[in-house]
Amino acid sequence: MASADPGETLAAYGGFNYIEFGGRNHLDVQPVTMPAERIRRLENHLMLFFTGFSRIASEVAKSKIDNLQKREAELKRMTAMVSEAISILGSETTSIEELGVLLHEAWENKKRLSDKVSTADIDRIYQTAREAGAIGGKLLGAGCACGEVEDAARVRGERAARGGRHAGWYGGARTQPAPAG
């Protein structure tokens, strides 16, 4: 029987995958492949931040489920974005920053699914990241971590110039500590 939990599925398969859930007995996992240079460009544009917040994911999920019938347009758009993201990642000519634009649009759509998707604190962190150069973001784990697509090297340089540090960046299946600022 297939797991309905995306986190469990990601942990079981590892790597960078397109995963299609189709009910209790259907799970299709396809690796997303990219040339090494494209992966390097993607990694150079990703950062991962820990928000320090703890929320109960099931409460957020329940509120989204309760609103699904009212949010059909958002769900259809978010589903279409998957193909767009795969296309961006596989393209040799499309800027990797377009993924950030897509992530920002997805975040805005996801917030419309329920008023519990975000909080004032999460919104403030997200907006601060955007003002610092993030193009878009993806919140993970009920908002406990926030991944941003941005020009990470530029942002690191700006933070270092201000004496600041960031939590680190995530690339592929590895995590590397942030350079000392």
Side-chain angles (χ1 to χ4, degrees):
M1 187 174 290
S3 172
D5 183 287
E8 289 177 6
T9 303
L10 289 169
Y13 283 89
F16 194 27
N17 300 299
Y18 166 78
I19 303 173
E20 180 182 296
F21 296 88
R24 292 175 98 45
N25 296 314
H26 175 78
L27 179 69
D28 185 33
V29 180
Q30 298 295 321
V32 176
T33 57
M34 294 181 283
E37 175 58 23
R38 189 71 170 170
I39 293 170
R40 187 191 66 73
R41 279 188 269 155
L42 176 62
E43 288 178 346
N44 286 337
H45 281 79
L46 295 177
M47 298 179 83
L48 180 68
F49 301 90
F50 179 67
T51 64
F53 302 131
S54 177
R55 300 192 308 159
I56 299 175
S58 60
E59 292 175 4
V60 177
K62 181 183 180 324
S63 71
K64 288 190 293 188
I65 290 167
D66 291 345
N67 286 331
L68 286 184
Q69 290 184 346
K70 297 180 226 170
R71 299 296 178 206
E72 189 174 337
E74 288 87 349
L75 291 169
K76 284 183 178 180
R77 177 64 189 127
M78 291 168 69
T79 299
M81 288 178 177
V82 175
S83 295
E84 291 176 41
I86 298 294
S87 177
I88 290 167
L89 291 170
S91 172
E92 290 294 322
T93 57
T94 304
S95 169
I96 205 73
E97 292 178 351
E98 289 300 312
L99 183 63
V101 172
L102 198 62
L103 284 173
H104 178 66
E105 183 184 347
W107 174 240
E108 293 299 321
N109 275 291
K110 189 171 184 176
K111 286 194 312 182
R112 287 192 285 275
L113 297 180
S114 165
D115 62 358
K116 294 191 184 314
V117 167
S118 191
T119 66
D121 289 330
I122 290 171
D123 287 344
R124 192 169 26 262
I125 290 169
Y126 186 87
Q127 186 58 38
T128 299
R130 296 242 323 145
E131 290 169 2
I135 300 164
K138 169 74 177 121
L139 270 74
L140 311 166
C144 296
C146 181
E148 303 287 344
V149 175
E150 57 191 330
D151 183 347
R154 180 183 57 76
V155 172
R156 282 187 199 113
E158 289 174 7
R159 289 187 182 139
R162 293 191 314 257
R165 297 180 65 157
H166 62 79
W169 63 274
Y170 175 83
R174 62 191 165 110
T175 302
Q176 179 172 318

